[in-house]
Amino acid sequence: MRGVDVVKNLYDAYAKRDIVGALGHCSDDVVFRWVAEPHAPFIAAGNGKQQFLDRLMSLDKDFEYRSFVPIEYIDGGDKVAAQVEIHLTHRTTGQELVMHTADFWTIRDGKIIAMVEYYDTALAASVL
């Protein structure tokens, strides 16, 4: 399976809020980083599926995901980039926002081994 197809399958599952299914496309020792300013909300980095799952589930507690739409893919074989548009509602305040992210994936042997995401930290902070 091509790397871009692995990422698309992960996004398809994630858009349906099947977080465990989405992580099925990751290696057990996947490395992830959400790049942000040191004191920005939702900054995260970790190793392994369980840490990734824990972090994603904590975001799910704070936000209702109204839609999760990959806008564009750049297929570099075992390196894939994607621009994603996420429509969210903060569960506590009810504030809605549209977040754009830039995701960079590394795939080996049909599994995601690394993910780096960049997002608008000021927008994320504005809902808290």
Side-chain angles (χ1 to χ4, degrees):
M1 180 180 298
R2 296 178 324 140
V4 71
D5 294 326
V6 173
V7 173
K8 285 179 178 181
N9 289 339
L10 177 137
Y11 283 148
D12 287 346
Y14 195 74
K16 296 173 188 166
R17 305 313 302 146
D18 179 7
I19 297 171
V20 173
L23 288 178
H25 300 285
C26 296
S27 67
D28 289 339
D29 59 349
V30 63
V31 175
F32 66 94
R33 289 186 311 138
W34 286 307
V35 179
E37 298 170 2
H39 301 291
F42 316 115
I43 190 170
N47 296 312
K49 267 191 202 179
Q50 189 58 52
Q51 285 185 7
F52 203 1
L53 176 62
D54 292 345
R55 190 62 185 137
L56 291 171
M57 294 306 291
S58 71
L59 288 172
D60 234 40
K61 288 178 188 172
D62 289 334
F63 292 96
E64 173 191 349
Y65 285 71
R66 296 188 324 274
S67 70
F68 183 89
V69 182
I71 303 298
E72 182 177 10
Y73 294 96
I74 299 171
D75 182 355
D78 64 347
K79 301 280 189 178
V80 176
Q83 178 184 351
V84 179
E85 182 177 284
I86 309 166
H87 294 248
L88 304 161
T89 302
H90 191 266
R91 292 188 190 278
T92 303
T93 67
Q95 186 172 354
E96 295 182 358
L97 68 145
V98 177
M99 177 75 66
H100 290 92
T101 67
D103 297 338
F104 299 89
W105 303 90
T106 303
I107 295 90
R108 183 181 310 133
D109 299 326
K111 293 283 187 180
I112 294 166
I113 62 167
M115 180 265 206
V116 178
E117 180 174 271
Y118 295 87
Y119 66 95
D120 184 343
T121 56
L123 178 60
S126 75
V127 299
L128 299 178

